[in-house]
């Protein structure tokens, strides 16, 4: 019988590989939120195939450059383990009142202790399926989030460790843009994980009820 060549086993996702996956997820999550919540006109977005599904990405050059600049820094912070949370806050353009906070907690997956058997690598297809589920859930939030019928803007907040290298003049300490507890409703979203990072998502929104 002719010998069969065994397919090479996939290496566990490295820190760099995981960092790139997480950074890319944030790019598509931010675009999805900005489209679904009407922060930018629908005409500013075009469809691309990603994670085995169609996602919408901005064609607005200024917004694209802004997001790319932020994500480049987030990528660096992920590599050094110095970012713990990212928040995309949607704010009323006129009153500056925070309407929604999309929160992404960033945790490091606990690695096996030295000498113990390493955990099997998580298949990339499984990671992509988890990301796909979160993006679909962001799209479906329009069924319960209050309709926003006023012009809005957004801000991205990064919560970092004290040791984080923060570029001067690019990031500033800012108001957390919190929604008062008495007027805030929260919905936990799905999570996803690589061999290195675990991302937990939730949305808090203003509810005057």
């Amino acid at each position: 019988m002719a010998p069969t060549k065994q397919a090479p086993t996939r290496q566990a996702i490295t820190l760099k590989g995981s960092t790139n996956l997480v950074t890319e997820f944030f790019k598509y999550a931010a675009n999805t939120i900005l489209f679904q919540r009407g922060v930018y006109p629908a005409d500013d977005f075009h469809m691309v195939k990603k994670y085995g599904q169609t996602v919408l990405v901005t064609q607005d050059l200024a917004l694209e450059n802004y997001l790319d600049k932020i994500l480049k820094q987030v990528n660096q912070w992920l590599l050094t383990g110095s970012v713990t949370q990212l928040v995309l806050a949607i704010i009323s353009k006129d009153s500056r009142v925070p309407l929604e906070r999309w929160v992404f907690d960033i945790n490091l997956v606990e690695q096996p202790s030295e000498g113990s058997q390493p955990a099997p690598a998580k298949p990339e297809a499984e990671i992509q399926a988890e990301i796909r589920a979160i993006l679909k859930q962001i799209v479906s939030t329009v069924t319960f989030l209050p309709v926003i019928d006023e012009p809005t803007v957004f801000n991205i907040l990064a919560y970092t460790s004290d040791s984080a290298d923060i570029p001067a003049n690019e990031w500033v300490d800012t108001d957390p843009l919190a929604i008062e507890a008495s007027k805030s409703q929260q919905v936990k979203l799905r999570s996803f994980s690589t061999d290195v990072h675990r991302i937990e998502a939730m949305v808090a929104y203003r509810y005057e009820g």
Side-chain angles (χ1 to χ4, degrees):
M1 191 170 80
T4 56
K5 187 174 181 184
Q6 194 173 5
T9 57
R10 177 184 160 277
Q11 294 297 310
I13 292 179
T14 60
L15 173 60
K16 190 170 183 180
S18 176
T19 293
N20 291 340
L21 264 173
V22 172
T23 305
E24 189 177 60
F25 160 73
F26 285 135
K27 171 187 171 178
Y28 290 109
N31 272 278
T32 302
I33 293 164
L34 295 175
F35 173 80
Q36 292 295 333
R37 305 309 289 144
V39 180
Y40 284 79
D43 290 349
D44 283 2
F45 294 82
H46 68 117
M47 292 186 290
V48 299
K49 286 287 278 186
K50 189 69 188 174
Y51 309 120
Q53 67 183 17
T54 300
V55 293
L56 287 143
V57 177
T58 184
Q59 299 179 98
D60 181 305
L61 205 55
L63 174 58
E64 192 179 347
N65 290 338
Y66 173 72
L67 289 174
D68 283 350
K69 190 174 183 181
I70 284 176
L71 292 172
K72 192 174 177 184
Q73 182 58 59
V74 168
N75 192 279
Q76 291 302 309
W77 283 333
L78 283 166
L79 279 173
T80 55
S82 50
V83 60
T84 56
Q85 189 183 84
L86 284 180
V87 177
L88 190 156
I90 297 177
I91 311 148
S92 165
K93 189 175 183 179
D94 298 326
S95 68
R96 311 305 288 182
V97 168
L99 303 176
E100 294 174 6
R101 293 178 95 252
W102 295 80
V103 180
F104 299 92
D105 285 318
I106 303 160
N107 302 298
L108 290 173
V109 173
E110 195 172 327
Q111 299 302 315
S113 56
E114 205 172 324
S116 65
Q117 189 71 19
K122 186 169 186 174
E124 196 155 348
E126 190 179 328
I127 298 168
Q128 293 209 0
E130 290 177 355
I131 291 175
R132 198 158 55 238
I134 296 182
L135 294 177
K136 283 182 177 174
Q137 198 176 24
I138 291 172
V139 171
S140 72
T141 57
V142 296
T143 60
F144 64 81
L145 289 175
V147 173
I148 298 176
D149 53 7
E150 60 180 303
T152 54
V153 292
F154 79 101
N155 204 347
I156 290 181
L157 314 178
Y159 289 79
T160 59
S161 62
D162 293 340
S163 60
D165 184 15
I166 299 173
N169 306 321
E170 289 186 21
W171 293 78
V172 293
D173 282 336
T174 186
D175 184 297
L177 301 173
I179 302 169
E180 309 93 293
S182 61
K183 296 179 179 178
S184 175
Q185 298 282 330
Q186 296 185 1
V187 176
K188 186 173 171 55
L189 303 176
R190 292 177 182 272
S191 62
F192 84 91
S193 63
T194 68
D195 291 326
V196 181
H197 297 102
R198 181 173 180 81
I199 310 301
E200 307 267 357
M202 63 85 73
V203 58
Y205 59 95
R206 179 173 294 276
Y207 180 73
E208 302 287 356

